[in-house]
């Protein structure tokens, strides 16, 4: 019964920045790998970024490398996604995801737990 709640979405102009937050409850946060996915209208949900807490390893999809940064605060049970130099093609609902089985479940897009999503809209 892990719950994930995202926040920080909104409307921003191209080139701007947003910081997404995902707060977890109902589990031991430090044991979970965390990640972010996004889904635009008419498209499949796609992997964006993930954080492997045990090794401190991060991964990003090619389209966001150099622009997005994932981070984690275990004391606050929160994972963040700092998004810079946003582009219109970044427009999507962004979903937080978590899994305690292993890092692979996050990066392959089949995590155990999902948040409800937060809308990010980037205008040109």
């Amino acid at each position: 019964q892990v719950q994930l709640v995202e926040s920080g979405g909104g409307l921003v102009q191209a080139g701007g920045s947003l910081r997404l937050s995902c707060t977890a409850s109902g589990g031991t946060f430090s044991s979970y790998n965390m990640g972010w996915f996004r889904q635009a209208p008419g498209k499949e949900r796609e992997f964006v970024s993930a954080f492997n807490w045990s090794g401190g390893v991060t991964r990003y999809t090619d389209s966001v490398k150099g622009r997005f940064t994932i981070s984690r605060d275990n004391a606050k049970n929160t994972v963040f996604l700092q998004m810079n130099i946003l582009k219109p093609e970044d427009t999507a609902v962004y979903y937080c995801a978590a899994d305690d089985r292993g890092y692979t479940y996050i990066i392959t897009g089949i995590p155990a737990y999902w948040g409800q999503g937060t809308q990010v809209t980037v205008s040109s």
Side-chain angles (χ1 to χ4, degrees):
Q1 297 182 351
V2 172
Q3 293 185 333
L4 305 173
V5 180
E6 303 99 332
S7 63
L11 175 64
V12 65
Q13 290 184 318
S17 299
L18 286 173
R19 186 194 189 198
L20 305 184
S21 299
C22 174
T23 300
S25 62
T28 303
F29 182 75
S30 62
S31 68
Y32 286 86
N33 292 296
M34 305 290 293
W36 291 92
F37 292 76
R38 66 186 181 186
Q39 187 168 24
K43 295 186 177 181
E44 296 182 351
R45 188 172 298 186
E46 66 172 344
F47 170 79
V48 176
S49 183
F51 190 106
N52 182 352
W53 68 269
S54 62
V57 178
T58 58
R59 179 173 175 172
Y60 303 90
T61 191
D62 287 344
S63 63
V64 308
K65 287 181 179 177
R67 301 188 297 119
F68 291 11
T69 302
I70 190 170
S71 61
R72 180 173 179 143
D73 187 340
N74 285 344
K76 298 181 179 180
N77 290 358
T78 301
V79 64
F80 305 95
L81 185 68
Q82 179 67 46
M83 306 185 295
N84 298 323
I85 319 175
L86 283 162
K87 304 175 181 179
E89 53 262 43
D90 294 319
T91 296
V93 176
Y94 283 70
Y95 296 90
C96 179
D99 203 294
D100 61 350
R101 296 171 294 173
Y103 182 62
T104 302
Y105 289 92
I106 297 296
I107 62 176
T108 57
I110 50 172
Y113 306 103
W114 294 91
Q116 292 296 105
T118 184
Q119 177 70 48
V120 172
T121 303
V122 184
S123 62
S124 60

